[in-house]
Amino acid sequence: MSKEMLEAFATLEKTKGIKQDVIVEAIEAALVAAYKKNYNQAQNVDVEFDERRGNFKLLAVKTVVEEVHDDRLEYSLKDALEINKAYEIGDEIKFEVAPKNFGRIAAQTAKQVIMQHLREAERNHIIDEYSQYEDELITGTVERSDNRFVYVKIGNVEAVMPHNDQMPNETYNPQDQIRVLVTHVGSDAKGAQITVSRSAPNMVRRLFEQEVPEIFDGTVEIVSIAREAGDRTKIAVKSNDPNIDPVGTCVGQRGARVQNVVNELDGENIDVVKYEEDPSDFIANALNPAEVIAVQFSDDEDEKNALVIVPDYQLSLAIGKKGQNVRLAARLTNYKIDIRPESEVEFVDEGTKPDDADSGTEVESEATELTEVIEPEEQDVESTDDEAVQGDSEAETAESANDEGEDINEE
């Protein structure tokens, strides 16, 4: 029996990760519980384990007394002297209690105690081992699925992926190898439970950290992520090095880096935008690829509301399909965004207009003034021959008018 016992310990430690000390402790507790169930007494019991032979001994401890009142706890001095002449009153004598003498209920109690200790030990082992992987990517194998979960095997543990953590455009078949994000490591009444996800925003963050060394070492930082899993994701990035373009770094040469992330997410569209400290610039970037004319904010500092003005022909692009573009931009920037076409806005704060828009207005104004000046001169050039041969007084008048036109041009 000792050999089989030691082999069982080794198997449990290998498959479940439960140390031999924990198993021994569980068996000792089970034997004590069985003794209590059988003899209705437990305070005078002791368990010894022989590590070399793999044997357990259950010992009943009795105190040597002159007169015995409870034979479960006491042993007479007369009988003790027959065992050993050195015994005195107050000494303790240990008697081995053979487990085969236990009844059926006591044996069942021992089994329950052992199973309970093993479950607790396994749960604690899983939590200790996988807590380090929380919020990290890990590769697993799909085992099965039902109406609630997809069950993913990671190492020796079965993790669960709830329905809302699954990608809507993916189908999970048994034996599929998938990469998942560990979102929670804890326990419930049934034992340890590990929850994984493929739809969490941090899934995109971890994938970019693996594809872009500059993000992993902190040179480029992902400030925020807004994701609608399986369809589209927007990420805002900034560079801590002025010589590095954060967007170009994430996209990679010919889009290789971002394409690897897209492939891992089964074709999910990813927009990489540059983070700006100025909220108006950040909102304009977040609405990419739409063009933004101006951004205005509400006077209430507690209300993070922004009015975004776009060209009429860019309105549908700014809003996006079913409002997706503006919805993701609002979550990315943490602003409530209201988009209006340029034709519906009567007043736009000039301070929020881009510089090129202001300069365009000035150029148009100058062109109008120049036209007004040029029009009279063109009429003089188109004069008839009869007008050209008029008297000296009329020529002097025309020359005076031309001088005035030149003065206007100079102004």
Side-chain angles (χ1 to χ4, degrees), residues 359-395:
S359 60
T361 305
E362 293 173 1
V363 171
E364 183 180 358
S365 176
E366 292 177 358
T368 304
E369 293 176 2
L370 186 59
T371 303
E372 293 174 356
V373 173
I374 290 175
E375 283 178 355
E377 293 180 352
E378 291 177 348
Q379 291 176 0
D380 291 338
V381 172
E382 295 174 357
S383 300
T384 60
D385 293 339
D386 295 337
E387 293 171 339
V389 296
Q390 289 180 353
D392 294 337
S393 61
E394 292 177 349

Side-chain angles (χ1 to χ4, degrees), residues 28-162:
E28 289 177 350
L31 291 174
V32 171
Y35 181 85
K36 180 179 180 181
K37 196 74 175 179
N38 196 76
Y39 296 101
N40 196 28
Q41 187 69 33
Q43 68 262 30
N44 67 324
V45 67
D46 193 12
V47 180
E48 293 181 357
F49 172 66
D50 188 342
E51 294 184 2
R52 186 174 61 87
R53 295 181 179 181
N55 292 329
F56 286 90
K57 289 183 179 181
L58 183 62
L59 305 173
V61 182
K62 296 184 179 183
T63 304
V64 178
V65 294
E66 184 70 34
E67 184 178 354
V68 176
H69 297 285
D70 188 346
D71 60 359
R72 296 176 303 175
L73 303 176
E74 299 170 341
Y75 200 71
S76 68
L77 178 60
K78 178 181 177 182
D79 294 336
L81 292 174
E82 292 179 0
I83 299 174
N84 192 323
K85 298 294 183 180
Y87 280 124
E88 298 178 354
I89 295 177
D91 291 343
E92 291 184 344
I93 303 178
K94 294 183 179 181
F95 298 93
E96 184 176 355
V97 181
K100 65 181 180 180
N101 296 330
F102 289 169
R104 179 182 60 83
I105 297 178
Q108 185 177 3
T109 301
K111 179 181 177 181
Q112 291 175 350
V113 172
I114 291 175
M115 296 304 297
Q116 180 181 356
H117 275 72
L118 292 181
R119 281 195 299 267
E120 290 178 357
E122 183 180 7
R123 178 172 65 245
N124 294 334
H125 169 72
I126 292 173
I127 293 175
D128 292 342
E129 180 178 358
Y130 286 92
S131 292
Q132 60 181 322
Y133 298 111
E134 195 164 358
D135 204 30
E136 297 292 340
L137 286 179
I138 194 168
T139 301
T141 304
V142 176
E143 287 196 323
R144 56 195 171 88
S145 61
D146 55 28
N147 294 332
R148 297 187 304 156
F149 303 117
V150 170
Y151 299 89
V152 182
K153 189 78 170 181
I154 51 176
N156 296 322
V157 181
E158 187 178 72
V160 296
M161 182 163 59

Side-chain angles (χ1 to χ4, degrees), residues 297-305 335:
F297 300 98
S298 63
D299 296 333
D300 189 353
E301 296 181 356
D302 297 332
E303 294 286 340
K304 301 187 72 173
N305 296 331
Y335 271 85

Side-chain angles (χ1 to χ4, degrees), residues 201-221:
N202 270 353
M203 176 87 178
V204 179
R205 183 188 300 273
R206 297 294 177 243
L207 289 173
F208 268 100
E209 287 178 352
Q210 293 185 355
E211 293 294 334
V212 184
E214 291 82 357
I215 293 180
F216 184 78
D217 63 23
T219 305
V220 175
E221 180 182 347

